[in-house]
Amino acid sequence: HFVDLPGKTPIVCIDGKGEYATTFFGYGENGKIHKIKEFYDPDSLGGLYGAITQFLGFEMLDGEYKVMGMAPYGDPDKYDLSRLLVCDGADLRVDTQYVNTIGLRRYKDASGTGYYFSPKLIEWLGPKRDGDAIDEPYIHYAASVQRLLEEAALKMIEHYLGDLIRETGRLCFAGGVALNVKLNQRI
């Protein structure tokens, strides 16, 4: 059931790849969506989180909720993953030397399976998690990537939509990252 709210409604969509943009900021008004800013692949918070999801031994586009669930068991201060992206609120740049890597730069395991992270990530953080153990250091990586996602998303939402959110008290949040309950709580 659609309720037509008077005035503007701020909209944020944060996804892995999306149809076109990985991240969208805008607002809805009078039945139309107006773009403020978009970001495109490989600069993707969802893609970065998905790559770390794979590194933590889960399926990308399926296991992200497991990373979110693993995060509270870790200490985000034990490992600083901030080198994976640069985000000042206005801009977002993912370091594709580590994550969101494509083609021949991808890490491949012994079976030849390619992942959305590079061998450089393995050199930095150690081997990809294998098996079912929820242990160190992987719980700390989960905690750190969760905090990284939250902080970057909040900076960007504040930068592009903060005034409008405070004015309206509303936010339409879409995309795969909108399923991240911890981020929703922070928002």
Side-chain angles (χ1 to χ4, degrees):
H1 181 68
F2 178 74
V3 177
D4 191 17
L5 299 169
K8 297 177 180 177
T9 298
I11 301 168
V12 60
C13 181
I14 307 175
D15 215 337
K17 293 263 186 221
E19 307 303 317
Y20 179 61
T22 62
T23 308
F24 171 89
F25 295 96
Y27 61 91
E29 184 177 37
N30 299 324
K32 290 191 166 69
I33 295 176
H34 304 273
K35 176 177 76 172
I36 296 171
K37 178 72 175 176
E38 287 180 324
F39 293 89
Y40 310 98
D41 199 36
D43 297 316
S44 167
L45 290 175
L48 183 159
Y49 201 91
I52 298 299
T53 296
Q54 284 188 322
F55 175 75
L56 293 175
F58 304 115
E59 286 286 319
M60 188 174 180
L61 303 178
D62 179 58
E64 284 80 0
Y65 76 96
K66 295 175 183 177
V67 175
M68 183 185 65
M70 184 191 280
Y73 296 99
D75 178 353
D77 293 322
K78 285 209 178 217
Y79 296 97
D80 180 7
L81 300 186
S82 63
R83 75 170 75 167
L84 298 178
L85 67 87
V86 174
C87 179
D88 63 3
D91 198 21
L92 170 69
R93 294 283 171 250
V94 171
D95 190 337
T96 59
Q97 292 182 72
Y98 295 101
V99 292
N100 293 7
T101 50
I102 58 170
L104 297 175
R105 293 178 37 222
R106 285 185 177 167
Y107 170 76
K108 291 184 179 62
D109 64 18
S111 73
T113 301
Y115 296 92
Y116 286 93
F117 55 86
S118 71
K120 191 170 180 175
L121 185 75
I122 299 285
E123 290 168 21
W124 174 35
L125 298 179
K128 176 184 172 299
R129 182 178 154 272
D130 195 21
D132 293 330
I134 306 294
D135 57 4
E136 295 190 17
Y138 304 103
I139 56 172
H140 306 305
Y141 296 153
S144 186
V145 76
Q146 179 66 34
R147 181 166 69 186
L148 194 64
L149 172 77
E150 291 173 16
E151 295 304 320
L154 289 170
K155 278 183 197 173
M156 295 172 71
I157 290 168
E158 173 58 34
H159 180 83
Y160 289 107
L161 299 173
D163 291 341
L164 190 53
I165 292 169
R166 281 186 287 282
E167 179 186 320
T168 65
R170 296 191 294 258
L171 177 65
C172 175
F173 189 12
V177 175
L179 296 171
N180 191 293
V181 175
K182 297 296 291 176
L183 175 57
N184 275 276
Q185 288 174 329
R186 293 286 306 276
I187 291 170

